[in-house]
Amino acid sequence: GAVDNNVFSSSIVMNSGNVNIIQGGSDGDGSVPEVDIIVNGGTVKSIVGGGYPNLEYSGKANHTGCVRITVNNIEGTPSIFGGGYSYASVGNVVINIKGGNYDYVTAAGSNGSVGYGRVNVDGGIINVLQGTNHGYIGFANLYVNDGIVKSLYAGMEPGDDNIGSFGRVHIGINN
């Protein structure tokens, strides 16, 4: 992504190694219209398609237009959030899971808002697949074509601190 800046696009390809967080959007204030994240191997703790705004309100935007995340293979049990953190906003998200083990896969962000999110599961093992977490998603499509999903939530995993909301969700299970 970027740091307190606007950039035209963000393209991240990981083939091996050990990374804590892959983040497509801006860290701080800034906008990124296009984000492409592809993971072919290696160990990642978390993948975040959107940005991470300053936790203190700055009056500036943190927006990501279109996020595409494709994970072909991965080590460990990362979490994937299509959206961002805090008050970050994302227009559209597409997440393609083709293999690996995951703790959480969330169409929206950890917080913030996402207009549209789509998750395609074509392999792997996911502990929790959900439309949103603490934020908002307008419309989510969650498709499980292959692989194992242990818990599936149209909105968010139940719990005392989960206060996310959603407009509309479509779930398709084809395996």
Side-chain angles (χ1 to χ4, degrees):
V3 176
D4 288 326
N5 204 348
N6 299 323
V7 296
F8 292 111
S9 66
S10 173
S11 180
I12 302 164
V13 177
M14 180 174 173
N15 292 314
S16 64
N18 190 340
V19 174
N20 191 31
I21 297 173
I22 295 175
Q23 179 178 317
S26 182
D27 187 24
D29 299 324
S31 296
V32 181
E34 296 280 332
V35 171
D36 284 296
I37 298 170
I38 300 171
V39 179
N40 295 315
T43 303
V44 179
K45 183 178 177 184
S46 182
I47 300 172
V48 179
Y52 195 141
N54 293 324
L55 295 179
E56 295 178 12
Y57 182 72
S58 68
K60 298 182 181 176
N62 183 297
H63 180 72
T64 307
C66 180
V67 171
R68 289 176 294 277
I69 300 170
T70 300
V71 182
N72 294 309
N73 190 25
I74 199 163
E75 298 295 323
T77 54
S79 293
I80 298 178
F81 297 98
Y85 289 109
S86 189
Y87 58 85
S89 66
V90 176
N92 296 302
V93 171
V94 176
I95 300 171
N96 296 302
I97 304 292
K98 299 183 180 181
N101 296 315
Y102 304 88
D103 193 16
Y104 286 84
V105 175
T106 306
S110 176
N111 282 312
S113 64
V114 170
Y116 171 80
R118 178 182 177 119
V119 178
N120 300 308
V121 179
D122 293 308
I125 299 171
I126 300 171
N127 288 329
V128 176
L129 173 60
Q130 58 188 1
T132 187
N133 191 29
H134 297 291
Y136 171 78
I137 189 162
F139 182 33
N141 278 317
L142 307 175
Y143 293 103
V144 180
N145 301 311
D146 199 1
I148 297 169
V149 175
K150 295 180 181 178
S151 299
L152 174 62
Y153 302 101
M156 74 291 313
E157 179 182 33
D160 293 336
D161 63 343
N162 289 340
I163 55 171
S165 61
F166 57 94
R168 181 176 163 206
V169 177
H170 173 81
I171 296 173
I173 299 174
N174 302 313
N175 68 343

